Amino acid sequence: MGNSLTCFGCKARSKKASKWSPNPRSFIGSSGRRMNNALKTLSSSSSAVKREVIDDDLIRQQALAAFMLLRQHQQNGSVPQFDRSNSVQYPLPSSKKQTKLPRSSSSRPGSLLDLPQNQLNKNLQDLKIEDLETKHFVLVHGGGYGAWCWYKSMALLREAGFDVDAVDLTGSGVDATDPNNITSFSHYVKPLVDFLDNIREGQKVILVGHDFGGVCVSYVMEMFPSKVWKAIYIAAPMLTSGKSTLATYQQQPSSDLMQQAQSFIYANGKDNPPTSIFLDKTLLTDVLYNRSPYRDNILASVSMRPMPFAPIMHELSLSEAKYGSIQRFYIKTDEDFAVPVALQDLMINSNPPEDVFFVKGSDHSPFFSKPQALHKVLVEISKLPTKPNVKSW
């Protein structure tokens, strides 16, 4: 449930245990044609550098500028080539490569990047989905969410030719389990474990974890390294071995808004740890959906569930031979009041992934607020080549 965990033991508001309905309830309310074939020549810079991606508004402005310039050159009898990358690319702070690369001029609205042809890389754009090691995405929701939150991403990925599944974790989405009765992490993550266990040997998936779903992704990476090709974390806990989500989040103060919104349920009495956690329904929009469409706020208000507390205290055991053999990628959200950028950076620097992507203008729920931008990042990551030093299971 985002960064509300940092407040546990401080000024957390509590609720008396209540009789929970077995049914899911609301506990948290609140371009004509493509720009001709010329635009197909747009390409991104080398995948060897780190990336930050993508703002929908910039894409539309770039496309309009490119179209106008294209029409002008068509009248003059010449057609230029443009760079389609809207990424700001740079090495991670922890990277051994310290050479700073210039920021793409496409990060400024209406500007076009003019690079020599030999600097353009068409490999990712020309790579077909059928040529990928896997085209199967498995989406894992965050605390309090459910498989329902991925409906836009699932539609976009399937329309693009990918196979997609989303899993309801125990006590989430349509699963009727009372969150207060979930007393272990293994119980909470069991639906995802079962899903991976049922995948035939030789088949692989791309795991995507949002929020606390990132912890679940790490857990099954350790269990099924031969079945996971890549792992993607979206504003999610990317823990180091031996750490729990609670301990990691307590390293970085949460926002005042989150402190006001968080509430705990003590079904076993105040002398025992909380059994679940949820957000004040009047502050739901401000904390999780501050940049999301109103209709998605309504969907969330009738679909969110409390997050069981026990899994938050679980300390992950991760090995370099299994978990460490799989490429990881992180997607940052810059207007996130649940898992602030400072906390995301802390986890990235503590456990550096292969690449970091940055969805501009996104709240904690980019699948609602920036679905097209998130989709483009997911597709780009799926097409990135596996590095030679990554173990093949």
Side-chain angles (χ1 to χ4, degrees), residues 124-264:
L124 296 184
Q125 285 70 33
D126 294 340
L127 185 63
K128 296 180 180 180
I129 294 176
E130 293 74 17
D131 297 329
L132 299 177
E133 185 166 347
T134 182
K135 62 174 183 176
H136 190 178
F137 278 92
V138 176
L139 312 178
V140 186
H141 65 80
Y145 295 81
W148 54 267
C149 73
W150 296 107
Y151 78 96
K152 292 182 181 179
S153 295
M154 293 182 72
L156 289 168
L157 287 168
R158 286 179 179 172
E159 289 172 358
F162 290 92
D163 298 325
V164 192
D165 285 291
V167 179
D168 273 323
L169 300 172
T170 307
S172 307
V174 300
D175 184 276
T177 305
D178 182 348
N180 292 286
N181 292 334
I182 300 174
T183 59
S184 69
F185 178 82
S186 60
H187 186 192
Y188 179 70
V189 76
K190 189 176 186 303
L192 180 59
V193 173
D194 291 343
F195 185 93
L196 268 293
D197 193 37
N198 288 328
I199 292 179
R200 297 197 310 269
E201 288 296 334
Q203 293 188 328
K204 293 186 177 184
V205 300
I206 300 173
L207 288 176
V208 181
H210 170 250
D211 190 83
F212 191 73
V215 182
C216 301
V217 164
S218 295
Y219 182 79
V220 295
M221 287 166 68
E222 182 68 21
M223 292 185 68
F224 305 100
S226 65
K227 296 182 179 182
V228 182
W229 188 36
K230 297 175 181 177
I232 305 173
Y233 297 74
I234 305 175
M238 191 168 59
L239 308 181
T240 56
S241 185
K243 286 284 189 177
S244 68
T245 305
L246 180 61
T248 299
Y249 277 19
Q250 286 178 332
Q251 297 179 55
Q252 180 68 38
S254 63
S255 66
D256 292 338
L257 185 60
M258 178 59 82
Q259 293 187 41
Q260 296 172 27
Q262 51 118 43
S263 296
F264 294 92

Side-chain angles (χ1 to χ4, degrees), residues 1-2 4 20 25-30 142-145 148 258 261-263 277-289 296-307:
M1 189 68 68
S4 59
W20 296 83
R25 296 175 52 190
S26 168
F27 295 98
I28 305 180
S30 49
Y145 295 81
W148 54 267
M258 178 59 82
Q262 51 118 43
S263 296
I277 180 173
F278 65 100
L279 300 181
D280 188 322
K281 63 181 181 180
T282 64
L283 295 175
L284 178 63
T285 297
D286 296 332
V287 176
L288 300 181
Y289 310 114
D296 292 321
N297 277 267
I298 296 300
L299 172 63
S301 71
V302 299
S303 305
M304 293 288 286
R305 306 278 299 279
M307 168 68 189

Side-chain angles (χ1 to χ4, degrees), residues 27 53 105 182 230 251 272 316 332 343 362 374:
F27 295 98
V53 185
S105 60
I182 300 174
K230 297 175 181 177
Q251 297 179 55
N272 294 296
L316 282 181
K332 295 173 59 176
L343 177 56
S362 172
L374 176 61

